[in-house]
Structure formats: structure tokens, C-alpha cells
Amino acid sequence: MMLTMASSPHNHSHKSLSQLMMTVIAACIPGVLAQVYFFGFGVLIQLILALITVSIAEAAVLKLRNKPVAATLKDGSAWLTGVLLAISIPPLSPWWIIVIGCLFAIVMVKQLYGGLGFNLFNPAMAAYVLLLISFPVQMTAWSPVESLLSNPLSLANVTNAIFLEHSLTGASLESLRMTIDGTTMATPLDSIKHAVDAGKTVSEAMTSPVFDTYAGLGWQWVNIAFLTGGIFLLVRKIINWHIPVAILLSLGISSAIGYLIAPGQEPGAVFHLLSGATMLGAFFIATDPVSACTTNKGRLIYGAGIGLLTYLIRSHGGYPDAIAFSVLIMNMAVPLIDHYTQPRVYGHGGKTS
């Protein structure tokens, strides 16, 4: 959904809310396929669980509020929230993780504030932060890419692991995430942070097999896939360019400056841009028209703030990937930013003769 502040005459886009939401979900497909390729079938199972949960939660609350259920569900906003949350959590997370997250996103963050258009925060990211703070072990237990696993998981084993927290043979989730050299690995962002804290240089840390040429093995291609989907949204004019460009420029410039100041402790701009949820956050999360700024100047400030906060939290904070925290912090600043960036009304402030 795109909201453009402009003077009259206004031209309707001729796209329904449902069409806009479905287009955004379709644009996620390249990134989802990349995640499935590198991290396995768990991504698809989490997606199915998320879509079922958000549909039930949305319908239940709408029924309690005496609102039309079928028409509201068809707008696709709840499904988009479920998709964004499902692809943000580790694929082998227990089933109750995604269920709790989806219930919180729909019931507490969206419907409690009045439904679509009234929520102050991005529902998917608010739910992600709730899960990360409440269940840090499950939410940080990302598996390495399947090529590094000692025993690649079948669909049956993945399903068993998600619902029963062990494989068909009784192996624990920890052993299922074990690599071919007998160790379990953190995400690339987490690996870099722990290595630098332990006194290693970035170059030494990136000798680990979890890394590829420019960023984490698999992660750089996932980010490129979401970048492809984001460009599609820009071409279709579903989103404006201001927020994603501001985020990527701000994050790139901040990380480049950090690299120039401390090259041994900072991985540089390319690594940050192709790591974690950077592209997903820039094109699919931060551009949420309800919780983001509505003016073009405000969108640039909003995006630049997200990019800067992402770099600062990644480099100096306690959480390796900071997209969710950065988006929520800037969500709180949206009313203030919009207040001071509203375009001046024609004739306002002019002198009278």
C-alpha cells in the first residue's frame, strides 16, 4: 500500500488493498526460495504455521469486534505480517514460537489499536522483538547452510524437529544444527561480533566456513534475492524509493566510516548490506505505510535513522542483527518527524499587501 502526499488533483492508483498486499507477498518469493535452498524445508513449515495462525487470530478478533471477517481477511494484511515474521525466525524454531509471535502481532499490535491503519508499530517486528527478548535461545539458533550440515535434514526430520524438538531418530535440535566438523555455528553477524570481542580481526574471523566472499555463506544470496523483490516493488510503484535508499545509504556510509576508523574490527559496508535482514528490512518492513513516515522528506529521515541505528546496534549493541529494534525505535519517532516535515500549504505564510 502506497500513500503519497501531494496537492490536487489526485489520481487513484486503481489497485485495491488486497492487490497491493498480494503483490508485496509475491515480491517476497525470491527471498523465500533462497532461504529454502540454503536453510531447508523448515522455512516453508514456519510459513504455513504463520499463515494459519494469523488467519485464525484475525478472524477471532474481528468476530469479537463485530467486524466483517471474510472481507478483512481478504485484504491480505494479516497474511503479509505472517510471512514477514515467518521468514525472520530460525527455520527449526519450535512450532510454538511462530504461533506466539503471530498471535501477539495480530491481537496485541494490530487489532488492539483498532486494526489496519491504526497500529503505531510494525506488527511483525514488534512480535519478533517480543520473541527475541522472551526466548533468546530459540530465536538465535539459526542453522548453518545445508551444505555445512553433517546430516542434511529430510522434510520428515524437519517436521519432527519443529513439532517435537527432536529428529525421527531422537537427535536433539542442537545436534541437528551440527556442522560437518562437529561444531554448531552462529549466524555470520554473531560470529563476527564474538570473534572481534575475543580479540580476533575480521579477516581471521572470516576464514570460518560460515562465510562466503562478501558476507555469510547463503546470507548474501538471500539478501540479493530480497533486493530483487524490492526492485520489483519499486518498478511497480508499490513502495517509494525514499525509505529503502535512505536505509542502505545510511547503513553503507556508517559502516564504511567504521571500517576506515577500525579496519581490523569492522567488516565494512558490503558485509553489512548483504548480511542478516538488511534487504528484507529496507524494502519490505520499513516501508510499511501505516507505521512509517508519510512525507518524502520524513521518509528520508526515517530511513537514515534506521540505517544508522542498525549499524550502531550491530557494532556496539547486544544484538547482532538490529533491523527490528531500529524499525521500532524509528516508529516511535514518526509522529514527530511527520509534524516537522509536512509540506507547506500553498499560500501559507505569504505576505499580504
Side-chain angles (χ1 to χ4, degrees), residues 179-333:
T179 62
I180 52 178
D181 60 359
T183 61
T184 54
M185 289 185 172
T187 63
L189 281 168
D190 206 16
S191 297
I192 286 285
K193 188 173 184 62
H194 286 311
V196 171
D197 290 343
K200 294 183 180 180
T201 65
V202 171
S203 298
E204 291 172 338
M206 291 190 70
T207 58
S208 168
V210 75
F211 293 102
D212 206 338
T213 306
Y214 301 107
L217 184 64
W219 287 97
Q220 64 184 32
W221 294 109
V222 169
N223 273 276
I224 291 172
F226 280 117
L227 172 61
T228 303
I231 293 173
F232 169 76
L233 293 179
L234 290 174
V235 172
R236 292 291 303 273
K237 300 187 184 301
I238 302 298
I239 61 174
N240 292 293
W241 62 267
H242 305 78
I243 292 175
V245 169
I247 290 175
L248 299 182
L249 279 177
S250 177
L251 177 58
I253 292 171
S254 300
S255 52
I257 293 174
Y259 177 78
L260 291 175
I261 295 174
Q265 285 76 45
E266 294 287 342
V270 176
F271 180 88
H272 277 282
L273 292 174
L274 296 180
S275 293
T278 299
M279 296 301 172
L280 175 65
F283 289 97
F284 295 90
I285 294 171
T287 53
D288 171 28
V290 177
S291 56
C293 289
T294 58
T295 66
N296 288 338
K297 187 183 295 184
R299 289 169 181 151
L300 292 173
I301 297 171
Y302 173 78
I306 291 174
L308 177 61
L309 286 170
T310 298
Y311 168 72
L312 292 175
I313 298 173
R314 281 180 177 181
S315 300
H316 307 289
Y319 295 94
D321 194 359
I323 289 292
F325 289 97
S326 302
V327 169
L328 294 182
I329 291 171
M330 292 307 296
N331 283 164
M332 291 187 286

